[in-house]
Amino acid sequence: MTTYPCRSIRWSSAARWHGHSGRAAERLLALGLLLASALAGAQERPAAEDEFTVAQPGDTCQTIGTRVWGKTEAYRQLHELNALKNGHPALVPGTRLRIKPEPEAHLTYVKPEVNTRPAQEPQWKPGKQGEALYRLYQVNTLRGAGAEVTLKDTSKLQLRENALVVIYGTQQTAVPKQPAQSSGVELVQGDLHLRLAALRGEALPLTTPAAKVAANGQELFVGVDAQRMSRVAVFNGKAQVAGKGAQVEVPGGKGTRVEPGKPPEPPRALLAAPAWSGLGAQEVLMALGGAPQPYALKWQPVSGAVSYRAVLARDESLNEVVAEGAPEANAAQVLDPGVLPPGRYFARVQAVDAVGLPGMPSRPRRVEIVAVKVERGEVGAPGQVKGRGQVKLTVDPTLGVPLRVKGKPVGPEAVLLAPGLHTVDMEGAVQPVSVEVLPDVAAQLVLKPKAGRFELEIAARPKEAGAPPIADGAVQVKGLEGASVSNLVRHGETRWTATVTPASAEKKGLAVVEVWVYGEPVGRASATSEAD
């Protein structure tokens, strides 16, 4: 037999709708939500097609009731869902008619295994991203899973593994044209991270085994441990926390605990947000050839911390978790996910104090692991490229972060032609890339006898079109077989001359030289002449 939650969360509605007045209230509720969404400029989620049917020629409410629900008298349900008048009104062909209630929420993130179950259904089914959730729907995250539920008013509830949510109805707001409010929340066990909608005009009621919370902030934490102790941490805004005949107001930056059967503890300051080590809010790793990169998330210690909560995810909402951990304060302040493929990641860390309250969240850190395409070069040691004649590095131009050569932005492509070492990086890069361009030079050598000596002529130029001229001092000549060479004289960009003297009488008629450019041999020449 399959068993479910390790953590249990129930959503309970404070409103009850009865008869025609309830149906009118529901219609006003839907209208208020639509008006508020339009005023806010929010893009509405398109309704699923299975929520509607289209009236055909000759259709009546009774025929549609029979077709959809299998009974003629179901026309009353069609009337309620579409605010139709009694008396069997005429239906215009092509009219879209709602055949399901408006969803109470949607699954906006799903990481298997996540199951959903409609009201009064015995079987669970796999949850799907974008799935509409109706009244009394349940959402269950299994081991290693995660989910995000977005309610009508766009408030969001993040669920980690082994959590169960029961979604009830919505309640009418007291303020005209305000969106429908999400129902109250009962947290039985586990941790809950709430991000409340900016348009909420009323506090979100939340109950635990030991406390009642009215949340007016936009982000807060509520947790219930195995001893049924409740913890509330408010990151911004405020919350009213009541327990056993007493109530305290918890402003942003503070938290409280409530034991079962006891009043809330006086609010205490939350620990400060940890500061990131390294470059701060953004770090860039250059992945040569698109290879996965080792990365460790590091932060500075916080005074008073007993442990930390760190998470690294692929999305800014921290739903698609890549790695998370809770290192103790006496250990290194680091979360090491190992190697990460190219992509964009987001991270957050919080310090946890001696009574188990999570502190203020750190500034979000964005980690960009940028794939760098390498052409005409080979990747050697980490962060090093070597190529002959030309090395080209390219990044995705849509990133909007150009490559830099020796600190100067050059765009999404860096073409390196000049022989030698080059430093390539990007803004925010943790470590630059070292590129060594080896010379690729075409050279011609001519030795001409002249009065017992030889005149050496060198013609040399880079093979790569657009490469800079050979630098002064980059051409060197070595005399072989004992020959000596005078100083080179440069004539323009591509021609050099020198005088070569044989080593001894025995070899007076032989001259052998070798020419090097940028420390690489490019040619050898020899010649003989008659003795004087």
Side-chain angles (χ1 to χ4, degrees):
M1 177 178 177
T2 303
T3 59
Y4 293 95
C6 290
R7 298 182 215 158
S8 180
I9 305 168
R10 294 195 186 98
W11 294 81
S12 58
S13 174
R16 295 288 185 266
W17 308 107
H18 298 287
H20 296 288
S21 60
R23 294 192 289 273
E26 288 179 335
R27 293 194 291 270
L28 288 172
L29 175 79
L31 179 59
L33 178 60
L34 290 173
L35 288 173
S37 297
L39 289 172
Q43 183 177 359
E44 296 178 11
R45 179 185 302 276
E49 286 304 313
D50 64 356
E51 296 174 19
F52 292 87
T53 189
V54 177
Q56 304 300 317
D59 263 345
T60 65
C61 294
Q62 291 92 333
T63 60
I64 292 178
T66 302
R67 183 168 70 239
V68 174
W69 294 287
K71 47 188 178 180
T72 303
E73 57 270 24
Y75 74 86
R76 296 186 181 89
Q77 188 171 349
L78 191 69
H79 285 190
E80 292 178 3
L81 290 172
N82 295 275
L84 298 176
K85 297 179 180 179
N86 290 326
H88 310 307
L91 298 178
V92 178
T95 302
R96 294 176 81 239
L97 297 168
R98 180 174 286 280
I99 56 175
K100 285 186 179 180
E102 185 179 356
E104 300 295 340
H106 286 83
L107 271 177
T108 47
Y109 174 77
V110 173
K111 177 184 178 182
E113 301 282 335
V114 176
N115 290 335
T116 61
R117 184 168 65 180
Q120 301 177 349
E121 289 287 337
Q123 299 297 325
W124 292 86
K125 60 183 179 64
K128 298 179 180 179
Q129 188 158 323
E131 180 179 349
L133 305 175
Y134 299 91
R135 189 174 185 275
L136 298 181
Y137 254 65
Q138 299 178 54
V139 179
N140 178 220
T141 57
L142 306 183
R143 185 174 181 179
E148 180 185 72
V149 174
T150 300
L151 304 175
K152 275 186 177 181
D153 67 356
T154 72
S155 294
K156 295 183 183 295
L157 170 64
Q158 280 187 319
L159 306 175
R160 297 298 187 219
E161 63 179 1
N162 301 323
L164 174 67
V165 171
V166 182
I167 300 174
Y168 285 79
T170 54
Q171 61 190 41
Q172 179 67 30
T173 64
V175 181
K177 297 186 180 181
Q178 283 282 0
Q181 302 300 296
S182 54
S183 54
V185 179
E186 182 183 358
L187 174 62
V188 177
Q189 183 177 328
D191 296 341
L192 177 64
H193 189 93
L194 285 170
R195 296 198 306 275
L196 305 184
L199 292 176
R200 285 194 65 89
E202 299 176 352
L204 175 70
L206 184 150
T207 61
T208 73
K212 292 185 178 181
V213 181
N216 276 302
Q218 288 189 7
E219 187 174 8
L220 69 154
F221 163 89
V222 180
V224 176
D225 62 19
Q227 288 73 42
R228 296 162 61 90
M229 168 80 78
S230 298
R231 291 175 173 85
V232 180
V234 181
F235 306 130
N236 58 43
K238 62 182 179 180
Q240 305 291 331
V241 181
K244 196 56 178 179
Q247 179 173 294
V248 297
E249 181 173 287
V250 183
K254 292 192 175 183
T256 186
R257 298 190 308 172
V258 187
E259 291 187 51
K262 294 185 178 181
E265 295 179 358
R268 65 177 70 206
L270 301 178
L271 292 180
W276 295 112
S277 300
L279 298 178
Q282 178 170 320
E283 288 190 327
V284 175
L285 282 74
M286 300 175 67
L288 293 173
Q293 297 297 297
Y295 179 74
L297 192 66
K298 299 179 181 179
W299 60 91
Q300 300 296 325
V302 174
S303 177
V306 173
S307 63
Y308 298 89
R309 293 183 176 186
V311 59
L312 180 71
R314 291 183 180 274
D315 63 317
E316 200 165 2
S317 297
L318 305 180
N319 281 317
E320 195 174 349
V321 175
V322 174
E324 57 184 332
E328 296 182 355
N330 57 6
Q333 284 74 52
V334 61
L335 176 65
D336 189 354
V339 294
L340 298 173
R344 178 172 293 175
Y345 301 85
F346 299 87
R348 183 186 67 198
V349 63
Q350 294 168 276
V352 180
D353 66 14
V355 300
L357 284 173
M360 298 296 291
S362 66
R363 293 175 61 194
R365 167 172 276 188
R366 190 170 75 178
V367 181
E368 296 275 4
I369 300 182
V370 180
V372 182
K373 184 179 180 181
V374 179
E375 298 178 70
R376 300 285 298 273
E378 294 184 359
V379 179
Q384 295 184 10
V385 179
K386 182 181 289 188
R388 183 175 294 278
Q390 176 188 130
V391 175
K392 180 180 178 181
L393 304 182
T394 308
V395 297
D396 185 350
T398 62
L399 293 175
V401 183
L403 291 168
R404 300 187 300 194
V405 177
K406 297 181 179 179
K408 182 179 180 181
V410 296
E413 292 184 354
V415 180
L416 306 172
L417 298 170
L421 286 175
H422 303 266
T423 299
V424 182
D425 67 356
M426 306 175 74
E427 183 179 354
V430 175
Q431 191 172 14
V433 171
S434 177
V435 180
E436 183 180 5
V437 180
L438 301 176
D440 196 5
V441 175
Q444 291 181 334
L445 313 180
V446 177
L447 273 173
K448 296 179 180 179
K450 187 176 182 180
R453 298 180 180 181
F454 297 86
E455 182 177 291
L456 173 64
E457 293 185 358
I458 304 171
R461 71 181 70 231
K463 291 182 179 179
E464 298 292 334
I470 295 173
D472 290 338
V475 178
Q476 295 178 326
V477 180
K478 297 180 180 181
L480 304 180
E481 305 290 341
S484 59
V485 182
S486 67
N487 292 333
L488 281 171
V489 177
R490 185 167 187 165
H491 307 275
E493 292 185 351
T494 61
R495 184 170 172 268
W496 290 258
T497 61
T499 299
V500 181
T501 303
S504 61
E506 291 81 9
K507 298 182 178 181
K508 191 172 183 180
L510 174 65
V512 183
V513 296
E514 189 173 57
V515 177
W516 292 55
V517 180
Y518 292 113
E520 294 284 327
V522 297
R524 180 180 292 193
S526 64
T528 58
S529 65
E530 296 291 335
D532 291 339

